[in-house]
Amino acid sequence: MSHPSPSRLSLALLAAGLACSSAATADEQFSSLFTDAKPIFDLRYRYEHVDQDNSLSNANAQTLRTRFGLQSGSWYGFSGLIEVDNVSRLGDAAYNSTRNGQSDHSTVVDPDGSEVNQALLRYDHTLGSAVVGRQRINLDNQRFVGGVGWRQNEQTYDGMLGQLKPFDGLTLTYAYIDNINTIFGPDDNRYDNRSNPANIEGHSHLINAQYVLMPELTVTAYSYLLGLDNIASSAAADFGTLSSKTHGLRLNGNLSGVSYALEYAQQRDYAGNPLELSSEYYLAELGYTLKGVALKGGMEILGGDSGNRAFQTPLATKHAFQGWADNFLLTPEKGIKDAYLGGSMPLLGGTLQAWYHDFRAERGSEQYGTEIDVGYSRPVPLLKGLVATVKYAAYDADDNGVDTDKFWAQLQYSY
């Protein structure tokens, strides 16, 4: 009987050892999906007061958002995430949530309910990433596509998103969306499901190409094709009137502490919109930062057109633009010119910010009104992860809307 040579025996043992080691490594990598998982826990209490100069009773809303979730570890680039939100009213329903039937009160869009906020599968690679499922999508400064994170029920998207980074500085993004979970959910509105549905159905394509040439210049080109089947620009309009295609170009950067942004976009009708859309968007902004104090001023113009055909941004994080009082969530038919000035600075361990807006019609000479916004946010040292925020908005109406004062007090804990 022949026996294997010592060298052959060593090679066989080495191969067997490598196979066992590889299997063990694969098992360890797969188990990392669970061993490296991280829980998500977030509580956000908010009191919101709204006082308008009209026949509506003042709104006083106390709500609590509770968020639970789990972010898995990674296995060969794959990972998963699930996140569930609950929004609950505390105390009396002395506000119109758009779902509770309290139409004699001013509106606070924080309806009660529980919903899966995110549920997704993700793949990460050195050249980019891909996400499938219900997800958060925030593009650029969220002026056209965002999550409306200020509201208690975040806006998330059902679909797929892919990002490709073929070389340093260039990011190519494509997303296909077939459903949008809006801030008005999770339940639909039996009073009005045209202008504020809980879910916007349709087929939308988001294309975004961003190239960071240098710190002084970032160029972003985008094309957002929104097929929105079951939403209208007003309660009386036909469905689909917010379907549009928007093509634009944005330039921004920073030069020795001076920041700038220039942007232009065109909007046309799309996906069977019964209205013929033809409007434009302009932005010019300058900012300066010195020792933590940031100042910024600019002019933003959304073009007008008669018959609910003005330039609209239905998927934007609108609270971050045109004033915190949210008087221009839908662009008036004469359009809007928003001249703004403000900034932020560190104060007593937190951040103070203040803004002034002057709103005018883009077509004609109407002066809509002015607004002052002031806010302060600070971590609470008693508990790590706890942040307190107070905000105030005062809109002084001229030719659009009514005088509106809003106040918020908020505590948020994130683990």
Side-chain angles (χ1 to χ4, degrees):
M1 179 182 294
S2 62
H3 298 280
S5 66
S7 60
R8 289 181 178 179
L9 182 61
S10 297
L11 288 173
L13 291 173
L14 178 61
L18 289 174
C20 291
S21 175
S22 177
T25 301
D27 288 342
E28 289 174 0
Q29 287 180 333
F30 182 77
S31 66
S32 69
L33 283 171
F34 310 97
T35 57
D36 294 342
K38 297 180 180 179
I40 298 170
F41 179 64
D42 183 279
L43 285 174
R44 185 161 76 180
Y45 163 82
R46 177 183 296 156
Y47 167 73
E48 181 168 344
H49 172 78
V50 183
D51 182 358
Q52 295 179 290
D53 187 15
N54 55 22
S55 61
L56 296 175
S57 299
N58 292 350
N60 290 285
Q62 293 190 77
T63 56
L64 177 68
R65 188 192 70 193
T66 306
R67 174 174 292 169
F68 295 98
L70 186 68
Q71 169 67 65
S72 78
S74 180
W75 178 61
Y76 289 108
F78 288 96
S79 62
L81 180 146
I82 187 166
E83 197 174 71
V84 178
D85 287 358
N86 170 266
V87 179
S88 295
R89 170 179 55 84
L90 305 178
D92 296 334
Y95 61 100
N96 178 13
S97 74
T98 74
R99 294 296 185 268
N100 60 6
Q102 301 296 318
S103 57
D104 58 337
H105 285 75
S106 293
T107 300
V108 175
V109 187
D110 287 325
D112 292 355
S114 298
E115 186 172 31
V116 175
N117 193 53
Q118 295 193 88
L120 59 89
L121 178 65
R122 181 183 179 94
Y123 176 70
D124 288 289
H125 188 271
T126 54
L127 292 177
S129 61
V131 183
V132 178
R134 180 166 295 184
Q135 57 193 284
R136 179 180 295 122
I137 300 180
N138 295 322
L139 297 181
D140 300 326
N141 63 346
Q142 303 185 47
R143 188 62 184 99
F144 293 96
V145 181
V148 200
W150 172 248
R151 298 274 33 123
Q152 296 285 53
N153 183 30
E154 184 181 13
Q155 178 169 280
T156 55
Y157 300 82
D158 296 344
M160 63 80 61
L161 180 144
Q163 286 193 321
L164 180 63
K165 300 180 179 180
F167 52 85
D168 287 346
L170 179 62
T171 301
L172 306 175
T173 301
Y174 169 75
Y176 170 75
I177 308 299
D178 65 6
N179 184 65
I180 301 150
N181 310 282
T182 75
I183 62 173
F184 297 99
D187 299 323
D188 231 328
N189 186 357
R190 64 183 184 274
Y191 305 100
D192 170 22
N193 62 357
R194 286 181 175 269
S195 55
N196 57 8
N199 294 275
I200 302 176
E201 302 165 359
H203 305 281
S204 298
H205 305 269
L206 312 177
I207 303 167
N208 184 290
Q210 184 180 89
Y211 185 35
V212 183
L213 282 82
M214 58 189 79
E216 294 81 10
L217 177 60
T218 296
V219 180
T220 305
Y222 52 85
S223 182
Y224 302 137
L225 312 178
L226 307 184
L228 310 177
D229 296 343
N230 63 318
I231 188 171
S233 54
S234 70
D238 293 334
F239 284 128
T241 57
L242 287 178
S243 294
S244 64
K245 54 185 178 183
T246 301
H247 311 298
L249 181 69
R250 177 181 174 88
L251 309 176
N252 65 283
N254 194 297
L255 297 164
S256 302
V258 178
S259 64
Y260 71 92
L262 298 170
E263 192 166 356
Y264 170 77
Q266 292 182 337
Q267 189 168 92
R268 301 292 185 266
D269 50 283
Y270 177 72
N273 190 333
L275 302 178
E276 292 185 8
L277 305 184
S278 180
S279 54
E280 296 174 311
Y281 172 90
Y282 302 89
L283 172 71
E285 183 179 85
L286 279 176
Y288 181 68
T289 301
L290 179 64
K291 295 182 179 180
V293 178
L295 300 175
K296 186 179 292 185
M299 171 73 79
E300 183 185 49
I301 300 173
L302 282 72
D305 204 348
S306 60
N308 297 315
R309 297 184 299 170
F311 195 106
Q312 305 293 346
T313 59
L315 305 187
T317 298
K318 299 178 186 179
H319 183 75
F321 304 91
Q322 298 179 349
W324 298 342
D326 288 336
N327 276 290
F328 299 99
L329 298 179
L330 196 70
T331 307
E333 69 173 32
K334 293 186 178 180
I336 185 170
K337 295 191 292 186
D338 174 18
Y340 57 90
L341 178 66
S344 63
M345 61 178 291
L347 179 67
L348 301 175
T351 301
L352 174 69
Q353 58 177 315
W355 299 93
Y356 173 79
H357 295 263
D358 182 276
F359 302 111
R360 298 172 186 264
E362 187 267 337
R363 292 191 172 194
S365 58
E366 292 183 23
Q367 181 170 345
Y368 291 154
T370 59
E371 180 171 327
I372 296 175
D373 301 325
V374 181
Y376 180 71
S377 184
R378 186 185 191 281
V380 179
L382 296 176
L383 181 62
K384 183 180 179 181
L386 183 63
V387 177
T389 300
V390 291
K391 290 171 58 171
Y392 173 70
Y395 174 71
D396 184 10
D398 285 325
D399 297 325
N400 187 278
V402 297
D403 292 351
T404 301
D405 293 288
K406 293 189 178 183
F407 172 77
W408 301 268
Q410 175 178 290
L411 280 174
Q412 181 165 358
Y413 172 74
S414 300
Y415 175 78

